[in-house]
């Protein structure tokens, strides 16, 4: 099996202060991987490095046969401007932008695909609703519909189930299983270990450094969780208290 990603001694951070240090490892093509760790562990930072939103301080990411156009990214809900005056159908249609460009209008075939994506996430009848009127679960469904239209080989999900009801979680997990069944690579930042154990065969645990990476049953151990907390707590104070990391 080939690799979708390879982290080669990767260090990422903000204003030259490392948030992830010397990460090494591979993400296999077609794998379904959860990224877990304590708050401040660098989980979202890794996804932003993969998307190119953060340039490495040191090391690199090898994308193998992938290009940036092969990546779809779902940010945290807090990063989505829900006050922007746009309807659900228009938000979902943004998933086609690489195909049709930023200034081309939607053709009939495009509108059919937008409608199908909206239907597949259970938002029929919401096409003309402003996104600012949606609940947390509804906006997440719309964002997943947008991802469906991107048709990407690598899907990055940053806390996709935060502030989402259980019915929506179950439905969106179905979409993720569909992607996995199609051979796409999915990397998701998650907090609920029960969800990880039930649905994600592989797990990458971070605490600014790599704690463990492999089959979920071998990574989500009490020993690894305790070690991750200790590693993050050691770096939670002022920078001078931790010789290897900055906050």
């Amino acid at each position: 099996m080939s690799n979708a990603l390879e982290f080669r001694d990767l260090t990422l951070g903000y204003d030259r202060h490392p948030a992830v240090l010397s990460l090494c490892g591979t993400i296999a093509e077609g794998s379904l991987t959860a990224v877990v760790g304590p708050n401040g562990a660098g989980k979202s930072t890794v996804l932003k490095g993969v998307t190119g939103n953060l340039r490495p301080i040191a090391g690199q990411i090898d994308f193998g046969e992938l290009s940036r156009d092969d990546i779809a990214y779902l940010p945290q809900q807090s990063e989505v401007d829900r006050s922007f005056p746009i309807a659900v159908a228009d938000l979902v249609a943004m998933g086609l932008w690489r195909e049709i460009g930023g200034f081309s209008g939607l053709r009939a075939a495009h509108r059919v695909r937008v409608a199908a994506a909206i239907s597949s996430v259970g938002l029929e009848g919401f096409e003309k609703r402003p996104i600012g009127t949606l609940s947390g679960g509804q906006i997440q469904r719309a964002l997943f519909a947008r991802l469906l239209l991107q048709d990407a080989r690598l899907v990055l999900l940053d806390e996709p189930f935060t502030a989402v009801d259980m019915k929506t979680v179950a439905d969106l997990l179905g979409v993720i299983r569909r992607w996995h069944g199609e051979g796409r690579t999915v990397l998701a930042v998650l907090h609920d270990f029960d969800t990880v154990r039930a649905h994600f065969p592989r797990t990458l645990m971070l605490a600014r450094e790599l704690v463990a990476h492999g089959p979920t049953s071998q990574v989500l151990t009490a020993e690894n969780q305790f070690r991750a907390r200790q590693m993050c707590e050691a770096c939670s104070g002022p920078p001078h208290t931790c010789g290897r990391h900055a906050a």
Side-chain angles (χ1 to χ4, degrees), residues 17-54:
H17 295 302
V20 174
L21 185 69
S22 301
L23 177 62
C24 294
T26 58
I27 303 296
E29 185 175 353
S31 61
L32 179 55
T33 304
V35 182
V36 304
N39 290 335
K43 304 180 293 296
S44 298
T45 300
V46 168
L47 266 57
K48 290 177 180 177
V50 174
T51 63
N53 291 332
L54 275 180

Side-chain angles (χ1 to χ4, degrees), residues 19-244:
V20 174
L21 185 69
S22 301
L23 177 62
C24 294
T26 58
I27 303 296
E29 185 175 353
S31 61
L32 179 55
T33 304
V35 182
V36 304
N39 290 335
K43 304 180 293 296
S44 298
T45 300
V46 168
L47 266 57
K48 290 177 180 177
V50 174
T51 63
N53 291 332
L54 275 180
R55 294 177 62 87
I57 295 174
Q60 66 184 51
I61 305 173
D62 185 348
F63 290 89
E65 298 179 356
L66 294 177
S67 69
R68 295 288 184 188
D69 288 345
D70 293 319
I71 301 173
Y73 171 56
L74 177 77
Q76 295 181 19
Q77 275 205 36
S78 60
E79 298 180 31
V80 177
D81 182 5
R82 295 173 63 179
S83 67
F84 191 76
I86 189 173
V88 169
D90 295 324
L91 173 68
V92 174
M94 291 171 64
L96 295 169
W97 75 269
R98 287 195 180 102
E99 180 179 335
I100 66 176
F103 300 99
S104 300
L106 292 179
R107 299 177 180 176
H110 296 140
R111 296 186 186 280
V112 169
R113 290 166 61 189
V114 170
I118 291 172
S119 176
S120 70
V121 298
L123 283 182
E124 303 97 325
F126 286 78
E127 291 83 355
K128 297 182 180 180
R129 287 271 298 272
I131 64 171
T133 67
L134 301 181
S135 68
Q138 290 165 346
I139 190 66
Q140 207 71 334
R141 288 174 186 267
L143 292 170
F144 263 68
R146 183 174 68 177
L147 290 175
L148 286 169
L149 290 180
Q150 289 184 247
D151 195 27
R153 294 170 60 187
L154 172 62
V155 182
L156 308 175
L157 308 171
D158 196 352
E159 301 187 17
F161 306 135
T162 300
V164 170
D165 60 275
M166 294 307 298
K167 175 64 166 62
T168 298
V169 170
D171 289 347
L172 297 184
L173 281 168
V175 175
I176 292 171
R177 285 193 296 270
R178 170 180 158 186
W179 283 328
H180 183 48
E182 293 170 346
R184 305 178 197 273
T185 307
V186 181
L187 200 60
V189 171
L190 297 169
H191 292 282
D192 184 356
F193 286 176
D194 289 338
T195 298
V196 174
R197 290 189 180 96
H199 300 284
F200 288 77
R202 298 187 65 80
T203 297
L204 187 155
M205 183 179 289
L206 286 174
R208 301 195 181 183
E209 298 178 51
L210 180 66
V211 178
H213 180 204
T216 294
S217 61
Q218 298 176 22
V219 173
L220 288 187
T221 64
E223 179 182 3
N224 283 340
Q225 293 174 52
F226 178 72
R227 180 181 170 215
R229 288 194 297 271
Q230 282 190 316
M231 290 168 66
C232 274
E233 288 171 0
C235 295
S236 61
H240 71 272
T241 65
C242 177
R244 300 189 63 190

